[in-house]
């Protein structure tokens, strides 16, 4: 039945026309950045790209092709199961960076990387190209219909479809952005290999594979269709479109709570890509609904989303604000890609308003401007800090997208509708297009204006459309010093005239202070001035692991957490919340905080978050009335004390059912499954599941979960310890043997013929 549905849908779609593009963005090759933090970050990224050893990134591919590598794999994720995934991102980053800058060293590195990949593909002989260890085994099993899929892996491998998607995207970008025709041929060969790989599988079996994270394979297969016009690639894109995710979106249903966020976003990018190519309004509406839900109900002020990589409940952001694992950089990278696609077919200014906010406050902030390095999690927890990657140790997914981001900074500054120019972002830059040069100069956001100089060989008539951002109400536009009374259409001020060489446009954008609550509507506020999120530097002590090592958990800021009771909150009324901030004279974008709960923080200064690095910080400030503060202070202290005591005693911990936490602890399972209730992830089994955990000084094993009245058999390294049930609070404690190895395997098993309770946390504690 499912197969018939998919085939019918495919037949209907192939008969449709494309969705019209209302506004065209420019390739990064048409834009060069001017002096700003964006340019500085871009230059830092070039250094990071060139500091990476191409041969180490290529090693997994050569091994997969049966060739001798010239160097050993990088460590971290690159030799523990996700071998080769950074290589795909690296090729994309090189391609975009070459297009964005024309840097010859980047071009040379791109050509070398591509030539070595071609050598690997040629050696494989069947079009395959990938870094996945022992590829013959896994792809052979899948081709025969032997499919064992779950959220964190496929056929005992760490998300191999997600992994191979990166090289598909890299080859596409090397052709479209890097201009390398060879990459187009390699991309088509690799896609033909996938068609052969799944040729004996039913649509239902392919959908079964998609239970495992698989990136945006549907998007890249749709891209190949557009490159070739061959509908066999379009059919493949449909086969790799996860129906379990798509179906509720088509109905306008939000069931995202608890789902791994960055597994879902690339799928939706693929749905949107297919919708655009085939003129499918239902899929387009599904993508827009997803965007509305994620941005409107699941994102914080910086534009990011997720807690510990998963979508948190829409009615309670307290967990996200308490976690050291806040919004993931990859999520925002992909949300910006989706935003771009939605903007192109709608010309809706709301998409650009979000794009600007996320670009300045999340994407710009994740690159350390001094030491280099990228951020995985941006904690929203008050008084916490971020961890920065290092070129030779850190091979996380957010390093991959982090490498790409600075090369993409220029792609949404300008756009055009026919011959009319659209100015979307106020970033110093130069656009070259259609015999015209537009140079934008400013010190935005430090100074609230920008100037555009238009250079033309011959005067001509066209419109310049300038976005009026949500954060300004009195935007003023002058041309050659004279005020123009441009009409406003769809949130854009339109100046339609005959332009001459040297004409200057000045756009004044007075900024105002706003307060943004978390989407759950609770009294916790983030402050913005114009598009810029303000934050306070609260200290630099004990930023343990701030420069990441190559451990599996090295991307997490596991240093001491400052108790909430020791961080400033605001005391007052919601209607007067903006009165807590006062501008500091002589310091642009700097505000002094007053009316706080703790006297030592009175006068604390807030500055743009993207200017803060290598420090502890605070973005959200709770607000209490005098009566609320007095009543809650004692309860907050007691709860925080208990939480902090547990964290202090914790040697190692696993959040069960959460993809990255379980992967970092090398989960192994038999007849086990996972889910989420009340925003809490869990795992249970009729067989067993296990984790590898550190034991330094640990004396007890603590379990947390749901009081399901089921029993659980606990053992370590094959030694049975106890059979337990969880108490009314969903907890159980097991004493550990006195002599333990540095690392042990903790096994949680069901009794014969029964199942375990739902387990949400496993901790080894002192």
């Amino acid at each position: 039945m499912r197969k018939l549905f998919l085939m019918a849908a495919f037949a209907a779609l192939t008969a449709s026309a494309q969705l019209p593009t209302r506004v065209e963005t420019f390739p990064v090759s048409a834009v060069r950045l001017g002096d700003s933090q964006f340019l500085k970050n871009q230059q830092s990224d070039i250094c990071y790209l060139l500091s990476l050893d191409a041969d180490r990134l290529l090693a997994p591919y050569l091994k997969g092709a049966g060739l001798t590598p010239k160097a050993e794999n990088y460590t971290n994720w690159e030799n523990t199961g996700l071998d080769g995934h950074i290589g795909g991102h690296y090729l994309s980053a090189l391609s975009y960076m070459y297009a964005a800058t024309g840097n010859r060293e980047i071009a040379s590195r791109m050509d070398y990387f591509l030539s070595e990949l071609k050598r690997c593909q040629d050696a494989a002989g069947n079009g395959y190209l990938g870094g996945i260890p022992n590829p013959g085994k896994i792809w052979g099993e899948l081709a025969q219909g032997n499919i064992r899929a779950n959220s964190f892996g496929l056929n005992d491998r760490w998300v191999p479809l997600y992994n191979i998607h990166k090289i598909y995207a890299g080859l596409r970008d090397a052709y479209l952005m890097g201009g390398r025709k060879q990459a187009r041929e390699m991309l088509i060969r690799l896609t033909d290999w996938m068609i052969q790989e799944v040729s004996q599988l039913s649509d239902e079996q392919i959908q079964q594979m998609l239970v495992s994270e698989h990136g945006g394979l549907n998007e890249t297969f749709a891209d190949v269709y557009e490159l070739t016009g061959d509908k066999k690639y379009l059919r493949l894109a449909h086969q790799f479109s996860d129906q379990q995710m798509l179906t509720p979106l088509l109905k306008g249903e939000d069931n995202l709570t608890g789902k791994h966020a960055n597994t879902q976003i690339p799928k939706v990018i693929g749905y949107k890509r297919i919708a655009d190519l085939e003129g499918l309004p239902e899929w387009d509406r599904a993508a827009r609904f997803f965007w509305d839900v994620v941005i409107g109900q699941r994102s914080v002020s910086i534009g990011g989303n997720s807690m510990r990589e998963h979508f948190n409940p829409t009615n309670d952001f307290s967990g996200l604000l308490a976690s050291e694992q806040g919004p993931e950089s990859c999520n925002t990278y992909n949300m910006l890609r989706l935003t771009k696609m939605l903007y192109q077919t709608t010309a809706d200014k709301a998409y650009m308003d979000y794009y600007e906010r996320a670009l300045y406050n999340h994407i710009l902030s994740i690159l350390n401007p001094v030491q280099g390095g990228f951020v995985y999690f941006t904690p929203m927890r008050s008084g916490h800090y971020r961890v920065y990657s290092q070129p030779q140790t850190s091979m996380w997914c957010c390093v991959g997208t982090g490498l790409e981001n600075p090369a993409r900074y220029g792609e949404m500054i300008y756009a055009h509708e026919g011959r009319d120019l659209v100015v979307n972002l106020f970033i110093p830059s130069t656009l070259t297009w259609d015999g015209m040069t537009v140079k934008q100069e400013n010190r935005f956001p430090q100074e609230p204006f920008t100037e555009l100089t238009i250079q033309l060989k011959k005067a001509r008539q066209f419109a310049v459309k300038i976005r009026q951002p949500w954060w300004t109400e009195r935007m003023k536009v002058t041309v050659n010093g004279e005020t123009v009374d441009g009409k406003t259409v769809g949130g854009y001020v339109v100046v339609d005239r005959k332009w001459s060489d040297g004409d200057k446009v000045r756009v004044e954008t007075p900024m105002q202070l706003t307060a943004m609550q978390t989407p759950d509507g609770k009294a916790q506020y983030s402050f913005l001035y114009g598009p810029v999120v303000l934050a306070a530097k609260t200290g630099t002590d004990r930023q343990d692991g701030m420069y990441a090592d190559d451990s599996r958990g090295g991307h997490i800021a596991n240093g001491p957490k400052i108790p909430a009771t020791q961080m400033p909150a605001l005391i007052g009324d919601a209607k007067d919340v903006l009165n807590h901030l006062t501008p500091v004279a002589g310091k642009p974008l700097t505000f002094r905080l007053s009316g706080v709960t703790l006297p030592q923080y009175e006068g604390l200064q807030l500055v743009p978050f993207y200017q803060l690095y290598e420090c502890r910080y605070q973005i959200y400030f709770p607000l209490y009335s005098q009566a609320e503060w007095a009543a809650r202070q004692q309860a907050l202290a007691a709860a925080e004390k208990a939480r902090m005591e547990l964290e202090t005693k914790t040697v190692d911990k696993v959040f069960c059912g959460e993809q990255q936490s379980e992967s970092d602890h090398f989960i192994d399972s038999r007849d086990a499954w996972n889910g989420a209730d009340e925003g809490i992830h869990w795992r249970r089994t009729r067989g067993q599941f296990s984790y590898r955990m550190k034991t330094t000084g640990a004396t007890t094993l603590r379990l947390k979960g749901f009081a399901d009245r089921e029993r659980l058999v606990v053992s370590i390294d094959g030694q049975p310890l106890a059979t337990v049930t969880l108490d009314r609070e969903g907890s159980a404690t097991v004493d550990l043997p006195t002599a333990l190895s540095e690392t042990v395997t903790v096994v949680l098993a069901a009794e014969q013929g029964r199942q375990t309770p739902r387990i949400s946390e496993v901790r080894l504690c002192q």
Side-chain angles (χ1 to χ4, degrees):
M1 191 72 179
R2 171 75 68 170
K3 183 172 183 177
L4 290 175
F5 167 77
L6 287 173
M7 291 303 296
F10 173 76
L13 291 173
T14 56
S16 303
Q18 292 188 10
L19 287 179
T21 298
R22 292 192 55 187
V23 57
E24 296 273 1
T25 57
F26 291 102
V28 294
S29 57
V31 180
R32 291 290 184 266
L33 298 181
D35 186 29
S36 68
Q37 189 60 51
F38 289 98
L39 179 61
K40 293 173 184 175
N41 278 19
Q42 190 176 83
Q43 292 168 339
S44 176
D45 189 38
I46 289 174
C47 293
Y48 202 106
L49 284 164
L50 295 176
S51 72
L52 291 169
D53 186 334
D55 287 326
R56 295 189 72 182
L57 292 174
L58 286 162
Y61 293 90
L62 272 74
K63 292 177 182 178
L67 301 174
T68 302
K70 299 178 181 179
E72 274 307 308
N73 294 32
Y74 274 110
T75 57
N76 198 235
W77 292 16
E78 279 289 305
N79 72 348
T80 55
L82 214 54
D83 310 35
H85 82 293
I86 291 292
H89 281 294
Y90 190 64
L91 183 56
S92 289
L94 292 171
S95 304
Y96 267 88
M97 190 63 80
Y98 171 62
T101 65
N103 185 289
R104 292 185 179 181
E105 287 184 88
I106 292 292
S108 177
R109 182 70 63 89
M110 175 176 59
D111 288 335
Y112 174 73
F113 207 83
L114 195 60
S115 67
E116 288 293 285
L117 289 174
K118 186 177 188 302
R119 193 161 67 91
C120 295
Q121 191 176 47
D122 290 344
N126 60 355
Y128 173 72
L129 177 64
I132 298 161
N134 194 7
K137 183 176 187 298
I138 182 173
W139 299 120
E141 289 178 349
L142 295 175
Q144 295 169 12
N146 178 3
I147 300 167
R148 305 184 303 280
N150 51 49
S151 60
F152 53 87
L154 180 63
N155 286 47
D156 308 316
R157 304 298 181 89
W158 186 7
V159 291
L161 294 177
Y162 166 92
N163 189 339
I164 201 171
H165 165 251
K166 306 313 165 197
I167 198 61
Y168 275 105
L171 292 171
R172 174 200 61 199
D173 295 339
Y175 173 61
L176 294 177
M177 294 294 115
R180 274 35 184 184
K181 294 181 180 180
Q182 182 182 59
R184 180 183 186 274
E185 299 169 4
M186 294 170 67
L187 175 61
I188 293 171
R189 288 176 65 194
L190 183 57
T191 311
D192 286 338
W193 165 82
M194 183 62 83
I195 290 177
Q196 180 61 36
E197 173 73 10
V198 301
S199 62
Q200 301 304 308
L201 303 182
S202 67
D203 289 331
E204 292 86 350
Q205 287 175 306
I206 296 174
Q207 289 292 304
Q208 184 183 349
M209 291 198 306
L210 302 185
V211 171
S212 173
E213 186 176 6
H214 52 278
L217 283 173
N218 55 349
E219 179 204 7
T220 50
F221 297 150
D223 291 335
V224 177
Y225 162 65
E226 185 179 45
L227 291 175
T228 64
D230 193 328
K231 290 183 179 179
K232 70 180 182 180
Y233 302 118
L234 190 58
R235 183 178 190 278
L236 189 66
H238 279 280
Q239 288 178 306
F240 275 82
S241 290
D242 179 21
Q243 298 297 310
Q244 193 171 21
M245 179 64 180
L246 176 61
T247 299
L249 294 178
L250 290 170
K251 297 176 182 177
E253 296 175 357
D254 173 10
N255 64 354
L256 298 179
T257 297
K259 283 186 165 58
H260 187 257
N262 205 44
T263 294
Q264 317 313 323
I265 303 170
K267 298 176 188 178
V268 180
I269 293 173
Y271 303 152
K272 173 60 177 166
R273 185 75 172 107
I274 293 169
D276 288 352
L277 288 173
E278 301 186 81
L280 187 63
E282 292 84 0
W283 285 36
D284 178 63
R285 283 196 297 271
R288 284 189 281 123
F289 172 75
F290 176 86
W291 189 94
D292 288 343
V293 168
V294 172
I295 302 308
Q297 301 178 39
R298 298 183 178 277
S299 297
V300 291
S301 61
I302 64 169
N305 62 75
S306 79
M307 176 185 70
R308 297 199 298 266
E309 302 193 6
H310 294 74
F311 287 124
N312 59 284
T314 58
N315 62 351
D316 187 6
F317 274 67
S318 59
L320 192 155
L321 295 188
S323 178
E324 79 281 11
Q325 299 180 42
E328 180 187 354
S329 301
C330 281
N331 295 4
T332 303
Y333 161 90
N334 277 315
M335 285 305 298
L336 290 188
R337 293 196 63 232
L338 178 60
T339 300
K340 175 184 176 182
M341 297 168 74
L342 293 168
Y343 170 71
Q344 288 174 313
T345 55
T346 64
D348 189 337
K349 182 183 78 77
Y351 292 117
M352 284 309 311
D353 282 339
Y354 164 74
Y355 195 101
E356 177 185 55
R357 179 160 58 91
L359 181 66
Y360 273 93
N361 300 303
H362 198 185
I363 297 300
L364 189 61
S365 72
I366 62 173
L367 197 159
N368 185 320
V370 175
Q371 301 292 336
F374 305 100
V375 170
Y376 195 118
F377 294 123
T378 298
M380 292 293 104
R381 182 184 176 91
S382 295
H384 214 58
Y385 65 99
R386 291 163 290 178
V387 168
Y388 299 96
S389 70
Q390 300 298 288
Q392 306 307 315
T393 66
S394 311
M395 297 293 146
W396 326 314
C397 54
C398 292
V399 167
T401 54
L403 290 168
E404 294 184 44
N405 281 320
R408 294 174 176 263
Y409 285 158
E411 67 180 349
M412 294 292 281
I413 301 174
Y414 309 99
H416 67 96
E417 296 180 82
R419 299 192 70 186
D420 293 340
L421 174 67
V422 180
V423 180
N424 273 318
L425 299 172
F426 309 129
I427 297 175
S429 53
T430 300
L431 167 69
T432 303
W433 168 60
D434 193 26
M436 172 174 63
T437 298
V438 179
K439 187 173 185 179
Q440 183 172 185
E441 298 174 288
N442 60 50
R443 292 188 66 249
F444 184 85
Q446 282 74 18
E447 296 176 352
F449 68 87
T450 190
E451 292 184 336
L452 301 144
T453 301
I454 298 175
Q455 295 176 309
L456 294 162
K457 292 182 179 179
K458 184 178 180 181
R460 67 172 187 256
Q461 185 87 23
F462 61 93
V464 175
K465 302 179 179 181
I466 305 163
R467 180 177 64 97
Q468 181 167 346
W470 66 272
W471 41 263
T472 189
E473 296 177 354
R474 305 182 306 279
M475 192 166 84
K476 178 182 177 182
V477 179
T478 62
V479 177
N480 300 328
E482 297 183 3
T483 301
V484 297
D485 188 19
K487 60 182 179 179
T488 300
V489 180
Y492 286 81
V493 174
V494 180
V495 183
D496 195 344
R497 56 175 282 158
K498 190 171 186 178
W499 297 91
S500 300
D501 185 49
D503 281 346
K504 292 184 180 294
V505 181
R506 180 181 173 94
V507 184
E508 297 180 8
T509 56
M511 294 192 284
Q512 58 185 351
L513 192 65
T514 56
M516 183 177 291
Q517 293 173 262
T518 48
D520 57 8
K522 295 181 180 177
Q524 43 213 14
Y525 292 89
S526 175
F527 298 100
L528 293 84
Y529 190 62
V532 176
V533 171
L534 303 172
K537 179 178 178 179
T538 61
T540 57
D541 293 343
R542 289 296 307 275
Q543 298 179 78
D544 299 359
M546 182 174 66
Y547 300 121
D549 58 21
D550 65 354
S551 65
R552 284 289 288 268
H555 56 290
I556 302 170
N558 280 320
K561 299 178 179 66
I562 309 300
T565 52
Q566 296 179 19
M567 298 307 301
L570 306 176
I571 297 180
D573 297 324
K575 62 182 177 61
D576 300 320
V577 70
L578 291 178
N579 293 340
H580 288 274
L581 270 66
T582 305
V584 176
K587 292 186 176 182
L589 306 177
T590 304
F591 294 81
R592 183 174 289 109
L593 192 67
S594 62
V596 298
T597 53
L598 301 172
Q600 66 266 35
Y601 288 112
E602 193 72 20
L604 187 69
Q605 290 191 356
L606 274 66
V607 299
F609 178 55
Y610 73 78
Q611 292 181 359
L612 297 180
Y613 56 93
E614 298 181 8
C615 68
R616 293 178 178 268
Y617 55 85
Q618 183 164 349
I619 293 176
Y620 276 91
F621 294 84
L623 175 70
Y624 301 100
S625 67
Q626 287 284 1
E628 286 173 331
W629 179 244
R632 294 195 61 175
Q633 196 168 17
Q634 188 173 358
L636 280 170
E640 186 71 6
K641 180 181 179 182
R643 182 161 49 241
M644 296 299 294
E645 286 178 351
L646 178 59
E647 290 294 335
T648 300
K649 294 177 181 177
T650 298
V651 174
D652 201 357
K653 60 187 175 185
V654 183
F655 294 104
C656 304
E658 295 191 5
Q659 178 176 316
Q660 199 57 55
S661 182
E662 291 193 320
S663 294
D664 286 343
H665 291 85
F666 302 93
I667 182 173
D668 187 22
S669 66
R670 185 182 74 245
D671 196 13
W673 64 100
N674 62 293
D677 291 304
E678 303 169 21
I680 299 173
H681 290 264
W682 50 261
R683 179 168 296 283
R684 75 189 318 173
T685 180
R686 292 189 184 91
Q688 67 178 46
F689 58 96
S690 66
Y691 306 108
R692 285 166 54 187
M693 302 183 70
K694 294 179 292 187
T695 63
T696 311
T699 58
T700 60
L701 182 148
R702 298 193 180 198
L703 302 171
K704 186 73 174 174
F706 295 82
D708 293 328
R709 299 182 181 178
E710 300 285 356
R711 290 159 64 87
L712 180 73
V713 181
V714 181
S715 62
I716 286 184
D717 286 344
Q719 177 183 350
L721 296 185
T723 299
V724 300
T725 56
L726 303 185
D727 62 22
R728 289 183 180 181
E729 303 300 321
S731 300
T733 301
V734 178
D735 291 333
L736 297 176
T738 55
L740 290 172
S741 303
E742 184 177 340
T743 303
V744 298
T745 299
V746 177
V747 180
L748 306 179
E751 292 185 306
Q752 183 68 32
R754 301 187 65 86
Q755 64 182 6
T756 64
R758 293 166 292 169
I759 304 298
S760 59
E761 292 181 17
V762 180
R763 293 176 183 259
L764 295 185
C765 298
Q766 296 174 339

